[in-house]
Amino acid sequence: MLKSETYNKNRMLVRVSKFYLILLGILSCSSIMGQQTPDTVQLKKNISLNEVLNLTSQNSLEAFKAKRKYGVNYWKYRSFKSRLLPKINFEANPFTYNRALIERYDSQQNIDVFRLQQNLNSYANVSINQNIRATGTSLFINSSFNRLKNYGDFDSESYTATPVRIGLVQPIMAFNPFKWEHKTAPLQYQKAKQEYLYELQSINLKTIDLFFDWALAGKKVDIAKENKLSAEKLFKIGKKRYDLGSIERNDVLNLELDVYNANTNLTLNEQALNKARNALRLFLRDDLPNNSAPMLPELIPDLQIDISEATELANANNPKIIDLELRKTEALRDLDKAIKDNRFDLSITASYGLNQQANTFRDAYGNLLDQQMVSVNFSIPILDWGERRGNIKTAKMNNEVIDIELQQDKDKIKQDIAQKVIDFNIQQELVEGALKTSEIARKSYEITEKRYLLGNLDYLKLTSSRQAWQSATEQYITSLLNYWRLYFEVQQLTLYDFMNKVPIEQDFDAILSN
């Protein structure tokens, strides 16, 4: 009778212990998944990727440098346009006094002697110059005045005046730099505009990398905090289960080790988060709002980019395409210069004016006399041992090399665009798959943790499930980074906003005023 009562009491104790463990496991699991740390309770302001991109375009030093680089090219273009406009110059030498012994010839003695010379000279000239682009002609109009006063044994005063003088310098067979500048300068200015827009997209790409580094570091901290809470709770439960004899001592030690590893991992991830936040803050020049947290951007719904459309947009907008056209024009310019610089040269200089010399200012501007000048200059190579022919051949072959390089560059740009578009169109599916994988891994871990708390799984399967969840979460953020990076790379190559279906544009006048 006594043995039967003792047996029944032991069975009742075992049942109570199992019930207690099951109840403890369920309550602890709910506590682990629902409890929040003080950091998560603290309200944080979410900041989106678009907001960070706007801050970058306004405050980063890279954006400021891009504006100044555009300004340099703008003023170069303005200088080119000014060279084709008339120029008015005024030069004067109002006071030149000279007193010195100079060598002179004495005709009476038929010898050279030193004599004291003392004079005061004044000079002024006003000129207007105009370059003609089509012919390379230089036109000029000028008016000059000169006064000379001599002192000494024979004082004298004389004036010479040229009220008007008109002339031109016309190269006949020479290289015309104005004609080629008219072709290259607009291309250089257009390239400068597109390079500025292209540089803004490079800044966006760098911002995206920094933003997602920050977001990934923040997500790792969140996971590390959850792991820390989970490790602490599991260790407490493990000790109680060990006291009841349901797990081995080795499992308790592994759970305790998890607590220390979780604390260390949290510290390291918080350090990485601070570095990532500070890197973005430095890039934004301390304009990142305090107590802000990154808000991951969503996918662009149903956005598929057509390769043919992207290629056409790149051919119209990409600065590298403009650079290819510019390089070809410069190669033709260099060939033209080599040909014309290495054959006979012919030019004409002509002028017509009125001038007079007198002892008084009034007489110098009266009874004006004609002043005419015509000059024809030419040079013909007779023997140079093939130097000129070699220079022309070199320029022609360089032009052919440029043609080959240009075709190679065009093919490479076309290939890059096609590959980027293909990668982007596929990336949306990869992101959606990574998100689904992350959600499944999270649910799988929750189920695995519950089963472990109920004693139905071992410790290794719990650890494996946690690692799979963490890896899937990080992979999702990485795939989302690749999605947005590929989108902005395509936008950079085409300078076209595929989300809003508009070209990338800027108010360039406003850029110069900032």
Side-chain angles (χ1 to χ4, degrees):
M1 184 66 180
L2 291 174
K3 290 182 177 180
S4 178
E5 291 178 355
T6 302
Y7 176 75
N8 291 333
K9 288 181 179 180
N10 289 336
R11 290 187 64 186
M12 181 63 69
L13 181 60
V14 171
R15 290 177 179 176
V16 171
S17 299
K18 288 186 176 180
F19 176 76
Y20 173 74
L21 288 174
I22 292 173
L23 181 62
L24 180 63
I26 294 174
L27 293 176
S28 300
C29 181
S30 301
S31 176
I32 293 171
M33 303 311 297
Q35 185 174 354
Q36 291 182 323
T37 64
D39 290 334
T40 57
V41 173
Q42 184 181 8
L43 294 177
K44 291 186 176 181
K45 178 184 177 182
N46 289 331
I47 184 169
S48 67
L49 176 61
N50 284 334
E51 290 176 319
V52 175
L53 290 174
N54 290 333
L55 290 175
T56 301
S57 64
Q58 297 171 7
N59 301 322
S60 68
L61 289 176
E62 281 77 4
F64 180 78
K65 182 173 70 173
K67 291 178 182 179
R68 289 299 174 263
K69 288 173 65 176
Y70 165 73
V72 170
N73 288 285
Y74 168 79
W75 287 109
K76 284 183 178 179
Y77 182 66
R78 284 286 303 272
S79 297
F80 154 73
K81 295 180 69 176
S82 298
R83 284 196 293 273
L84 298 179
L85 299 176
K87 294 180 178 60
I88 301 176
N89 297 308
F90 173 75
E91 57 178 323
N93 191 350
F95 183 86
T96 301
Y97 175 74
N98 180 39
R99 184 177 185 276
L101 289 171
I102 61 173
E103 184 178 351
R104 285 285 187 264
Y105 174 71
D106 188 340
S107 59
Q108 294 180 355
Q109 304 182 52
N110 195 26
I111 58 173
D112 292 332
V113 297
F114 288 99
R115 292 181 177 175
L116 179 64
Q117 179 175 302
Q118 184 178 4
N119 57 48
L120 178 64
N121 189 18
S122 300
Y123 172 80
N125 179 68
V126 177
S127 63
I128 301 176
N129 298 275
Q130 171 69 61
N131 295 318
I132 307 300
R133 172 179 55 83
T135 60
T137 308
S138 295
L139 300 176
F140 64 88
I141 302 175
N142 73 303
S143 176
S144 62
F145 163 81
N146 188 268
R147 173 182 179 269
L148 179 63
K149 173 67 175 178
N150 290 301
Y151 300 95
D153 296 337
F154 302 97
D155 288 350
S156 65
E157 182 176 10
S158 62
Y159 298 83
T160 179
T162 304
V164 62
R165 178 169 171 258
I166 303 173
L168 63 85
V169 177
Q170 176 63 64
I172 304 299
M173 305 298 294
F175 172 73
N176 184 359
F178 303 117
K179 182 184 73 173
W180 287 104
E181 279 189 359
H182 184 71
K183 295 180 179 180
T184 59
L187 288 175
Q188 289 171 343
Y189 182 52
Q190 182 63 25
K191 176 187 171 184
K193 287 183 175 181
Q194 294 182 342
E195 280 184 338
Y196 173 73
L197 300 176
Y198 190 91
E199 184 64 24
L200 291 185
Q201 304 310 307
S202 297
I203 296 171
N204 286 340
L205 288 170
K206 185 173 182 180
T207 304
I208 289 171
D209 289 338
L210 293 172
F211 180 85
F212 275 93
D213 286 345
W214 181 34
L216 182 58
K219 193 63 179 179
K220 287 183 177 180
V221 168
D222 293 339
I223 295 174
K225 289 178 180 179
E226 290 190 30
N227 286 340
K228 179 177 180 294
L229 284 175
S230 177
E232 291 173 348
K233 295 297 181 181
L234 291 174
F235 178 55
K236 291 179 182 179
I237 295 171
K239 287 193 297 183
K240 294 178 181 179
R241 294 177 65 183
Y242 173 73
D243 294 338
L244 296 174
S246 61
I247 61 173
E248 300 294 333
R249 174 64 176 169
N250 184 55
D251 290 334
V252 178
L253 292 176
N254 284 332
L255 292 172
E256 185 178 8
L257 181 61
D258 276 352
V259 173
Y260 289 108
N261 288 337
N263 287 326
T264 301
N265 190 48
L266 176 58
T267 301
L268 293 175
N269 281 291
E270 287 178 339
Q271 184 181 20
L273 175 60
N274 287 330
K275 288 182 179 179
R277 183 190 294 114
N278 290 335
L280 181 58
R281 187 183 296 275
L282 178 63
F283 190 66
L284 296 176
R285 302 176 69 189
D286 294 329
D287 201 36
L288 186 66
N290 295 325
N291 196 33
S292 58
M295 182 173 62
L296 290 177
E298 298 180 353
L299 299 179
I300 307 172
D302 301 325
L303 177 59
Q304 293 288 305
I305 300 175
D306 182 70
I307 295 179
S308 299
E309 180 187 8
T311 303
E312 291 178 1
L313 290 169
N315 289 332
N317 301 328
N318 195 301
K320 293 182 180 179
I321 300 296
I322 295 293
D323 184 62
L324 297 180
E325 185 178 350
L326 176 62
R327 287 168 57 191
K328 176 59 180 176
T329 304
E330 290 175 341
L332 293 174
R333 176 200 63 191
D334 295 341
L335 176 60
D336 181 54
K337 187 175 188 301
I339 292 174
K340 291 182 177 178
D341 286 351
N342 288 277
R343 65 185 183 185
F344 70 90
D345 185 20
L346 175 64
S347 64
I348 297 176
T349 302
S351 66
Y352 174 82
L354 301 173
N355 72 337
Q356 184 57 275
Q357 183 272 335
N359 293 328
T360 63
F361 177 82
R362 181 176 180 178
D363 291 340
Y365 281 90
N367 299 321
L368 296 174
L369 303 176
D370 289 348
Q371 182 190 59
Q372 303 174 17
M373 188 275 290
V374 176
S375 173
V376 178
N377 303 306
F378 68 91
S379 63
I380 302 175
I382 297 177
L383 180 63
D384 62 3
W385 306 103
E387 178 184 356
R388 295 171 182 258
R389 182 171 178 269
N391 291 335
I392 295 174
K393 286 289 186 181
T394 300
K396 287 182 178 180
M397 290 186 177
N398 283 334
N399 185 54
E400 293 174 358
V401 171
I402 289 293
D403 287 338
I404 297 173
E405 291 178 348
L406 294 182
Q407 187 59 50
Q408 291 175 333
D409 291 343
K410 285 183 179 180
D411 293 341
K412 184 177 183 303
I413 292 172
K414 183 178 180 180
Q415 182 181 8
D416 289 345
I417 293 172
Q419 189 60 54
K420 292 294 183 185
V421 171
I422 292 173
D423 291 343
F424 173 77
N425 291 336
I426 296 175
Q427 190 63 28
Q428 181 172 355
E429 181 180 348
L430 297 179
V431 174
E432 292 172 349
L435 177 59
K436 192 67 176 178
T437 302
S438 176
E439 294 172 350
I440 294 173
R442 174 63 183 255
K443 293 178 181 178
S444 176
Y445 172 70
E446 293 175 0
I447 295 172
T448 302
E449 188 177 51
K450 290 179 182 179
R451 295 182 64 189
Y452 174 79
L453 293 172
L454 297 176
N456 297 330
L457 288 177
D458 59 14
Y459 173 76
L460 292 178
K461 290 185 178 180
L462 175 66
T463 303
S464 177
S465 179
R466 182 192 300 127
Q467 290 175 350
W469 165 48
Q470 295 174 3
S471 176
T473 303
E474 293 176 9
Q475 181 60 36
Y476 165 68
I477 297 177
T478 301
S479 63
L480 191 61
L481 162 63
N482 292 334
Y483 175 85
W484 283 101
R485 218 182 188 288
L486 285 168
Y487 172 77
F488 275 94
E489 285 176 349
V490 174
Q491 182 170 284
Q492 182 183 44
L493 292 173
T494 59
L495 295 183
Y496 187 81
D497 183 355
F498 290 93
M499 286 189 290
N500 300 311
K501 304 295 183 182
V502 293
I504 303 296
E505 296 178 343
Q506 283 285 330
D507 185 353
F508 289 98
D509 293 334
I511 292 173
L512 295 172
S513 62
N514 291 337

